[in-house]
Amino acid sequence: MKKLLSIISLVTLTLLLAACGSSEEEASGDGSKEITIGYFPNINHVAGMVAEEKELYSETLPDGTTVNYKYFPDGSAFMTAVETGEVQGGLVGPGPAMNHFTSGAKINVVAAGSTGGTVIMARKGANIETPEDLKGKTFISPRVGCTHDVQFETMMKEEYGITSSRIDGTMKHVTGKPATYNAMFKAGKVDAATVPEPWASVIEAQGNGEVLVDTPDVAYGKTLPAAVFVTSQELVKNNPEMVQSIVDAHKQATKFIQEKPEEAKTIAIDKIKEITDQELSKSVIDNAWERINFTYKVDGEVLQDFANSSYELEFLKEKPDLEGLVDTSFIEE
């Protein structure tokens, strides 16, 4: 009888261990039936809007996968969401991606979203005719050290010898959501802005500011990825099939923008209204579109040069090495 009980206990224990193993595999194997994609309500992120509207992720991911979307006001919040697993991938500016990577975040840039689109705007009535007039003025960017901030401050330092008060210069720096810049210009709260599209075109259309430096003449002009597609290294390592499915949908969205720009513009207008409650005119979008190149191809060397600029402006404490950040294997044809 004692021997029989021992055999029963052993069998029970074996079944329990087997069950535990199966459960862990389902939980960690990331056979995830639900994913979340993030992006911002900027023209640089239209691929995210198109992919959502056309349900492209649902086409490439396994049947039954639920795809959610989350919209972000700035890159730092997005990067934190990637690191914590709140989102599995999405579009963000290269500045936040690079800064978090050099701070130890285990992330990969697996594609680009677009290049260009940063414009330096001067408020009407601020007595700014040239970049040299920015001495002692207040400028605004989405975040300290964000993509648009680094582009602007690099240009000002290298071409005009003018820096911000953060590094003992004369320009005062404040931050805020790009969708609010036009109202801030109108109220006279800031003098200049380094701003992503379409918000520069909104300021132009409303007559509250003028282009001081257009996209091609801002540092890194149209060569720098204005948006990159980021995911976690853990997902790349443990579930490359999912990453490939996500990137495939992103590539389809980018090709859609290239082949059907008018339909993509309509999608952008509708999504930006839905997210920000601001309805942009077709002429504003047309104007902004001219400053953007939509591509999923990413140049790691440009990102490294941009990172070096961020270090020289003291946004980074140590000289960055972006080795391991960019993984182009998922966009190779």
Side-chain angles (χ1 to χ4, degrees):
M1 183 62 182
K2 187 175 180 181
K3 185 176 180 181
L4 178 61
L5 288 173
S6 296
I7 292 173
I8 291 173
S9 297
L10 180 60
V11 170
T12 302
L13 179 61
T14 301
L15 290 172
L16 284 171
L17 288 174
C20 288
S22 174
S23 176
E24 280 183 1
E25 190 172 307
E26 282 184 11
S28 64
D30 232 323
S32 285
K33 296 296 182 183
E34 185 169 344
I35 70 163
T36 301
I37 300 294
Y39 66 84
F40 305 1
N42 296 335
I43 292 296
N44 289 318
H45 294 226
V46 171
M49 303 176 198
V50 167
E52 179 179 4
E53 179 64 23
K54 295 295 181 181
E55 299 183 348
L56 298 180
Y57 291 109
S58 297
E59 290 183 9
T60 58
L61 286 161
D63 290 344
T65 304
T66 299
V67 184
N68 305 309
Y69 296 91
K70 188 174 177 65
Y71 316 119
F72 292 85
D74 64 74
S76 183
F78 172 89
M79 291 309 307
T80 299
V82 172
E83 291 176 61
T84 60
E86 183 182 352
V87 303
Q88 281 63 56
L91 291 162
V92 67
M98 175 194 68
N99 292 342
H100 279 247
F101 179 78
T102 56
S103 297
K106 303 298 183 184
I107 59 156
N108 278 137
V109 169
V110 292
S114 59
T115 62
T118 294
V119 185
I120 312 305
M121 300 295 296
R123 176 174 61 81
K124 279 190 176 177
N127 296 319
I128 300 171
E129 300 296 331
T130 69
E132 288 91 338
D133 296 331
L134 287 168
K135 287 181 180 176
K137 301 292 187 181
T138 299
F139 76 95
I140 189 168
S141 73
R143 297 279 289 196
V144 174
C146 71
T147 306
H148 316 289
D149 186 11
V150 173
Q151 285 186 270
F152 171 65
E153 292 202 45
T154 297
M155 177 196 72
M156 292 302 295
K157 180 182 178 183
E158 292 183 354
E159 297 189 27
Y160 305 102
I162 300 172
T163 56
S164 71
S165 56
R166 180 183 53 83
I167 47 177
D168 298 325
T170 57
M171 295 188 297
K172 182 182 178 183
H173 185 192
V174 297
T175 61
K177 296 178 181 177
T180 67
Y181 292 0
N182 180 56
M184 295 184 78
F185 267 40
K186 188 176 181 179
K189 292 184 176 179
V190 295
D191 302 311
T194 173
V195 53
E197 287 290 16
W199 308 112
S201 292
V202 168
I203 295 171
E204 279 188 276
Q206 295 295 317
N208 294 312
E210 296 177 334
V211 175
L212 183 65
V213 184
D214 212 337
T215 296
D217 297 318
V218 181
Y220 297 102
K222 287 193 169 183
T223 63
L224 179 71
V228 290
F229 200 100
V230 170
T231 189
S232 70
Q233 290 183 6
E234 181 181 2
L235 199 61
V236 169
K237 178 181 178 181
N238 296 330
N239 201 339
E241 295 83 7
M242 174 184 281
V243 175
Q244 187 64 64
S245 296
I246 292 173
V247 173
D248 285 347
H250 174 65
K251 288 170 65 176
Q252 286 186 31
T254 306
K255 290 176 181 176
F256 181 95
I257 296 168
Q258 294 167 345
E259 295 169 0
K260 300 179 179 178
E262 294 307 311
E263 188 174 349
K265 289 175 185 177
T266 300
I267 291 171
I269 290 171
D270 293 343
K271 287 303 299 182
I272 289 173
K273 181 183 179 183
E274 177 186 325
I275 298 169
T276 70
D277 203 30
Q278 292 195 47
E279 184 167 7
L280 304 181
S281 68
K282 177 66 163 47
S283 62
V284 163
I285 295 298
D286 284 341
N287 196 49
W289 216 264
E290 294 300 316
R291 294 176 171 134
I292 309 286
N293 177 39
F294 294 98
T295 178
Y296 55 78
K297 296 180 180 177
V298 59
D299 186 340
E301 290 186 8
V302 174
L303 286 178
Q304 181 63 62
D305 291 342
F306 180 74
N308 294 341
S309 292
S310 189
Y311 168 71
E312 289 161 6
L313 287 166
E314 301 180 24
F315 289 118
L316 299 176
K317 294 180 180 178
E318 297 181 3
K319 195 165 187 177
D321 179 0
L322 300 188
E323 180 70 30
L325 172 62
V326 178
D327 183 346
T328 60
S329 62
F330 297 99
I331 60 172
E332 291 170 356
E333 301 290 347

